[in-house]
Amino acid sequence: MDLDTPFFIFGLTTGVALTAAVQYFISAWTAAKTPHSKDSTPRDSVHHPDASPITSPDALPAIRRQSWNVPSFVAAEGTLPRLEREFTVSSHRLQTMVRHLVNEMKKGLAQDGHTLKMIPSYVISRPTGFETGSYFALDLGGSNFRVCLVILEGQGRTRVRQTKHIVSDELKTGSGEALFDFFAECISKFLQELGLDPSEARSLGFTFSFPIEQHAINSGTLMQWNKGFSATGVLKADVVELLNKALKKARINVKVTALVNDTVGTLISHAYRDPQTYVGVIFGTGTNAAYVERIEEIPKWTGPIPPTKEMVINTEWGAYDEASVLPITSFDRDLDRASTNPRKQIFEKMISGMYLGEIVRYVLLDLISTGELFKGRSSQTLTTPYQFETAYMSRIERDHSLELSDTKAVLEDILGLQATTVQDRRIVKHVCELVGIRAARLSAAGVAAIVTKMNRLDACTVAVDGSVFQNYPHFANRMRDALRELLGIMAENIVLEQARDGSGEGAALIAALHGHD
Ligand code: BGC
């Protein structure tokens, strides 16, 4: 058992030291006796009491007791129970979501214009692991732009040299020309750093992590900006042409041989090491998944039948928005209304790193407005959109100190809230947990839908990348718990693995695989 767990239970149990100490020992003893798998976190199970496959019946009462042991004055006023109800996603709802998602995937594969875009990526083969050579790759994912030189050494081994640049808000929301000129400038600097002549012909893979309607392996038009981008003149334009234009202006002789989504790159780069990889997922600033589909399952595909008879599909699952299935709260609605892309990317707005902190911020402002938090006082920082970062949630969820001292540092030193009480901090921590658990459970439903659609419940590696999966405490284990609820024993065959730089390596590999198409 996680040594910190009793302290967490202690923290939630009561503010009165003596009672807490007694309850602490009782909880610790009960938890120690509660059977759970090595990597399942017991307190994460509390929000899905109908989780039959993973929780033995006699464990449930103890787990429930921990869940509802919130500070008594709060419980009396009903705040946390109300929030728990709103943010809890039952097993039943998750099952419904999986069935619905599978149907939506089928619709998107049959025809364009459905919620799930199910975009054929033109990537028709997976690597053997023996590919070799040096390739350039560009990666525009969210807030960062990278230029990479990827050396494929064969036997699944790679070496990467790269430079990373922050994409400022001005660039994100300015003119497309300025954005692409910035990319060319970064490439030029990188070549200079490596002492390479820009007039020498080279090819590169371009990871562009937005919904692109792909027309060929190296051509595609932007269908929609997400993640705070709105640069003008790019929508409906071929992003490869825009890049080529900027490169020509900067006198750089580079040809784009592959245009790739980050999920596709993640899948392909992981498959270079593990041939059982059929799915690539990103839980980062945004979220999305790609998987290998049989060509006969893609009725809308009118191109030539590839020899492999398969094609990687970019699902663009972030756009999923079924209100009758997703547990959309008033806070999600407020966030969506105020976003740069209202009514779009609803699933993404419930689970990805750009938005999780913002959901928490909305909940906290609500609790402040009713006087239930911080004695009704807010701060300028907290009232500013997107100032409660998802990284703060990670810090708060990781804080198992008795007084929640790191939570205090976040709230007081960073967010400028005054003299917070331990009780305040417990509530904030619990809100973070509710939002974080919901995100992980919804993410698991997405993965379960894909492996179900592929009919690969017997063995499948899911390559996962992105800051939320990498850094958010318990995210991966919460996902695994939910997968067990959804798939029962078959969940053991679905291996979620941290991917390594899919966006860079993947683009280079796809350039290697498809460079001659
Ligand atoms: C984009 C996807 C991308 C995902 C993860 C989403 O906002 O629409 O294309 O794969 O973010 O980066």
Side-chain angles (χ1 to χ4, degrees):
M1 193 186 79
D2 179 0
L3 270 182
D4 292 331
T5 302
F7 287 101
F8 169 84
I9 296 162
F10 175 89
L12 267 189
T13 301
T14 178
V16 185
L18 187 60
T19 326
V22 173
Q23 291 203 2
Y24 159 65
F25 284 112
I26 294 172
S27 310
W29 180 78
T30 318
K33 292 190 69 160
T34 304
H36 55 80
S37 70
K38 192 166 159 257
D39 58 6
S40 72
T41 321
R43 64 195 150 95
D44 294 343
S45 311
V46 299
H47 302 282
H48 42 86
D50 50 348
S52 43
I54 54 159
T55 317
S56 81
D58 53 347
L60 280 177
I63 287 172
R64 282 212 185 102
R65 223 179 7 254
Q66 291 163 18
S67 159
W68 296 97
N69 260 338
V70 291
S72 55
F73 82 93
V74 176
E77 292 179 18
T79 306
L80 287 191
R82 174 174 61 79
L83 289 175
E84 284 185 354
R85 265 196 311 280
E86 284 191 60
F87 281 96
T88 296
V89 198
S90 69
S91 285
H92 177 71
R93 193 192 271 265
L94 284 184
Q95 303 276 12
T96 310
M97 190 176 151
V98 172
R99 278 195 300 275
H100 192 262
L101 265 169
V102 171
N103 261 327
E104 290 300 304
M105 288 171 75
K106 287 183 185 161
K107 284 191 204 162
L109 289 170
Q111 248 176 10
D112 285 339
H114 287 282
T115 316
L116 294 195
K117 296 187 180 72
M118 306 300 283
I119 305 165
S121 68
Y122 286 76
V123 173
I124 52 168
S125 47
R126 291 179 312 128
T128 57
F130 294 104
E131 292 74 8
T132 53
S134 298
Y135 294 86
F136 281 90
L138 305 183
D139 171 26
L140 177 69
S143 315
N144 294 310
F145 174 70
R146 286 186 311 143
V147 190
C148 318
L149 173 64
V150 181
I151 300 155
L152 308 172
E153 298 185 322
Q155 295 176 329
R157 282 201 309 263
T158 54
R159 272 190 300 137
V160 181
R161 265 195 80 169
Q162 58 166 321
T163 51
K164 201 170 177 174
H165 310 262
I166 293 192
V167 186
S168 66
D169 286 345
E170 288 73 48
L171 281 171
K172 286 182 192 169
T173 55
S175 81
E177 195 178 343
L179 183 66
F180 282 80
D181 283 348
F182 166 74
F183 297 159
E185 193 187 311
C186 298
I187 301 169
S188 168
K189 279 191 196 145
F190 187 62
L191 292 175
Q192 233 170 49
E193 254 180 59
L194 296 180
L196 298 172
D197 178 0
S199 66
E200 222 172 85
R202 298 189 169 82
S203 60
L204 67 74
F206 183 16
T207 300
F208 191 81
S209 304
F210 297 88
I212 286 284
E213 188 183 346
Q214 209 94 30
H215 305 303
I217 187 68
N218 60 351
S219 141
T221 47
L222 177 66
M223 301 164 96
Q224 174 190 309
W225 276 126
N226 295 325
K227 300 182 277 198
F229 278 72
S230 58
T232 54
V234 189
L235 215 58
K236 309 227 158 49
D238 188 325
V239 293
V240 173
E241 273 173 24
L242 293 180
L243 180 64
N244 281 338
K245 209 165 133 196
L247 290 170
K248 206 165 157 201
K249 228 195 309 178
R251 296 175 195 285
I252 304 170
N253 189 4
V254 176
K255 186 172 146 233
V256 180
T257 48
L259 174 64
V260 179
N261 185 265
D262 50 358
T263 54
V264 179
T266 298
L267 192 171
I268 294 299
S269 75
H270 208 74
Y272 190 53
R273 298 183 189 90
D274 174 357
Q276 280 301 337
T277 311
Y278 290 94
V279 188
V281 187
I282 302 286
F283 297 116
T285 308
T287 186
N288 189 15
Y291 74 104
V292 181
E293 184 58 281
R294 282 170 301 141
I295 209 85
E296 77 228 37
E297 290 285 306
I298 319 172
K300 73 178 176 187
W301 174 254
T302 51
I305 307 288
T308 53
K309 303 222 170 16
E310 50 181 45
M311 163 92 57
V312 176
I313 294 288
N314 167 12
T315 65
E316 286 294 337
W317 75 12
Y320 183 61
D321 62 358
E322 182 53 45
S324 68
V325 176
L326 286 170
I328 300 171
T329 66
S330 58
F331 310 107
D332 298 302
R333 283 196 202 95
D334 290 345
L335 181 152
D336 177 51
R337 258 194 298 275
S339 68
T340 53
N341 53 350
R343 292 181 306 284
K344 302 252 163 65
Q345 300 294 104
I346 301 299
F347 188 52
E348 175 162 279
K349 286 172 182 160
M350 297 173 89
I351 61 181
S352 78
M354 173 151 178
Y355 304 103
L356 291 182
E358 184 65 355
I359 303 173
V360 170
R361 195 182 71 86
Y362 273 102
V363 177
L364 300 188
L365 289 181
D366 188 56
L367 293 173
I368 292 170
S369 74
T370 55
E372 289 163 292
L373 200 55
F374 311 135
K375 300 197 182 67
R377 281 198 297 267
S378 186
S379 70
Q380 205 189 344
T381 314
L382 193 67
T383 44
T384 312
Y386 294 93
Q387 289 303 301
F388 193 106
E389 294 176 12
T390 302
Y392 304 157
M393 291 172 73
S394 298
R395 270 180 74 174
I396 292 170
E397 281 230 46
R398 237 180 239 121
D399 183 3
H400 298 301
S401 65
L402 272 184
E403 299 282 310
L404 295 179
S405 45
D406 200 35
T407 306
K408 180 176 161 76
V410 169
L411 295 175
E412 298 183 10
D413 303 346
I414 301 180
L415 296 169
L417 294 151
Q418 310 229 319
T420 62
T421 64
V422 179
Q423 204 76 287
D424 284 334
R425 290 174 231 144
R426 284 186 192 132
I427 294 174
V428 172
K429 181 167 177 169
H430 198 48
V431 171
C432 293
E433 284 165 345
L434 290 174
V435 174
I437 289 170
R438 184 184 70 163
R441 290 172 67 71
L442 295 178
S443 304
V447 170
I450 289 187
V451 291
T452 305
K453 169 69 189 74
M454 293 168 83
N455 202 9
R456 280 203 185 272
L457 288 168
D458 50 342
C460 182
T461 300
V462 178
V464 194
D465 206 352
S467 50
V468 173
F469 188 79
Q470 257 179 52
N471 305 328
Y472 197 102
H474 318 302
F475 193 85
N477 283 341
R478 287 168 177 169
M479 273 189 76
R480 290 187 183 107
D481 281 353
L483 277 174
R484 274 180 220 122
E485 277 174 62
L486 285 165
L487 307 174
I489 189 81
M490 303 302 261
E492 304 305 322
N493 304 333
I494 312 303
V495 184
L496 299 182
E497 256 176 31
Q498 171 67 58
R500 213 181 58 190
D501 184 22
S503 308
E505 288 184 22
L509 265 162
I510 295 167
L513 287 167
H514 291 265
H516 312 293
D517 293 5

